[in-house]
Amino acid sequence: MIDIDRFSFDVECPECRFATKIFYRDARLRDVLICRGCKANIQLNDHMNECRKVRRQVSSAIADLERTIESFGKTIRLNF
Ligand SMILES: [Zn+2]
């Protein structure tokens, strides 16, 4: 299972628009960041539980990929 806590993405500071890189884990835990541009505190707000939805989507996408690779492997085996 891939640990998506270490996936990173950029968020824009609401004050100065400076992009700060955060990790999925920070968003999931609703961490507070300090903007590297203006030093404002940015409270990460996951009010719609988007993190949980994303985690579920990533898990299901990976499961699909695993099934595809598996069937691909079987196809290759049949050809030899
Ligand atoms: Zn800022």
Side-chain angles (χ1 to χ4, degrees), residues 20-35:
T20 299
K21 181 179 276 194
I22 69 164
F23 289 94
Y24 172 89
R25 182 181 181 281
D26 301 328
R28 183 168 61 80
L29 298 176
R30 297 173 168 83
D31 219 345
V32 177
L33 303 175
I34 296 165
C35 172

Side-chain angles (χ1 to χ4, degrees), residues 13-18 35-40 42:
C13 172
E15 299 295 326
C16 71
R17 303 282 162 215
F18 191 91
C35 172
R36 288 182 295 135
C38 68
K39 311 293 178 206
I42 306 170

Side-chain angles (χ1 to χ4, degrees), residues 28-61:
R28 183 168 61 80
L29 298 176
R30 297 173 168 83
D31 219 345
V32 177
L33 303 175
I34 296 165
C35 172
R36 288 182 295 135
C38 68
K39 311 293 178 206
N41 287 338
I42 306 170
Q43 171 71 60
L44 297 174
N45 185 2
D46 183 24
H47 68 106
M48 296 293 284
N49 271 319
E50 289 297 324
C51 285
R52 207 176 297 167
K53 283 181 212 160
V54 167
R55 182 185 285 270
R56 214 166 30 226
Q57 284 166 359
V58 168
S59 297
S60 107

